[in-house]
Amino acid sequence: MTTEPETEPKTTEPGTGYRLPLLLLAGFRELIEALHLELGARGHPDLRPAHGFALQAIGGAGGGLAAADLATRLGVTKQAAGKTLETLAGLGYISLTVDPSDARRRTATLTARGRAALSHSAAIFDRLGAQWADRVGEQAVAALERTLAELTGPVTLRTDSASWLGGQ
Amino acid sequence: MTTEPETEPKTTEPGTGYRLPLLLLAGFRELIEALHLELGARGHPDLRPAHGFALQAIGGAGGGLAAADLATRLGVTKQAAGKTLETLAGLGYISLTVDPSDARRRTATLTARGRAALSHSAAIFDRLGAQWADRVGEQAVAALERTLAELTGPVTLRTDSASWLGGQ
DNA sequence: CCATATAGACAACCTGGTTGTCTATATGGT
DNA sequence: ACCATATAGACAACCAGGTTGTCTATATGG
């Protein structure tokens, strides 16, 4: 299809297909590691990537989020979501209050610290993206994002990554 | 969905930096899930992503690989690498033999089944890459790969992903 | 020939998932 | 109003795949 000169590496060249997933993973982990390095230096050393996903989900929800809702958003069981909420509450990133309209639900809302962590994260991600743009050009990063968005559909927060990478 | 008719979409637009890591992860997991779905259907249902990384490392090594070598390549402790080898041997993908030149070492070599799994994987990855190329154009996928390669450096097989995603 | 390094087994532990079971609360049909 | 059913989430047991720490056996080099 491409009539470009042979400077273009062929992605469909047989036997090289394994590189793409590794590159995607490498890019992801580079960003995430840089984020948490920076977050650690900024007073959030105990925040783990999984926590970030959960915080994002909680912050993204309008009011507050209960364990079952979080479970749905993250793609894990409600027990797992409940543990995560417990941890985040223990670290001071969220507060858990009983839903006045439903005594079974404990809704999670971000604390000031939680909001600070989220806004720090956003700023850091922006900066990391800008650094990438500096290195390979803004267009290349924009194309990267555009292509991936087209291929993977709407962004999701599924966090069962750890489990499907490893067990079961 | 461009909010502005600019020729150059801004990746550095504030507050959108979080999308890039999510897209990278989504792309990775899409490929890996598709791979293991297909591998499962082709007679390798018990092969996990982590196993694939290890098999790749073992197959990529010239002769055989011992636990300590695998540990180095995967970026995990030798105990973890040893467990992985034990599992892979139990599943019939590798055979472990005592190194004749060093009685301490148990070197892992691929069995026929292991080689089959690797070549299936390679074929499937190639096909998945071709499918992506069909969807967004070969140039876009090539650009994706080129940009990521430039940003992340040489491809690595580090498999401690599960752990840095979650614990530690 | 011994001092030191290395391979890897074993055990205890941690994290973050899982399933299964249980109680408390909501909710809707009769 | 009442009961059947569904739902929220706690609790416990378990599992996978890492970790650290310790131990033994084997190599290796001064």
Side-chain angles (χ1 to χ4, degrees), chain B residues 6 9 15 32 38 47 64 66 92 99-100 102-103 109 114 141 143 164:
Chain B
E6 291 289 334
I32 294 294
E38 181 77 17
L47 211 49
D99 187 329
D102 187 336
T109 47
V141 178
W164 62 255

Side-chain angles (χ1 to χ4, degrees), chain A residues 63-96:
Chain A
L65 215 57
D69 309 329
L70 182 63
T72 308
R73 300 212 184 195
L74 296 185
V76 298
T77 57
K78 56 183 183 175
Q79 288 86 342
K83 285 187 193 180
T84 301
L85 288 183
E86 206 60 48
T87 304
L88 283 175
L91 293 174
Y93 289 102
I94 62 172
S95 67
L96 293 168

Side-chain angles (χ1 to χ4, degrees), chain A residues 116-127:
Chain A
L118 266 193
S119 68
H120 274 157
S121 295
I124 294 167
F125 273 139
D126 285 346
R127 205 159 45 69

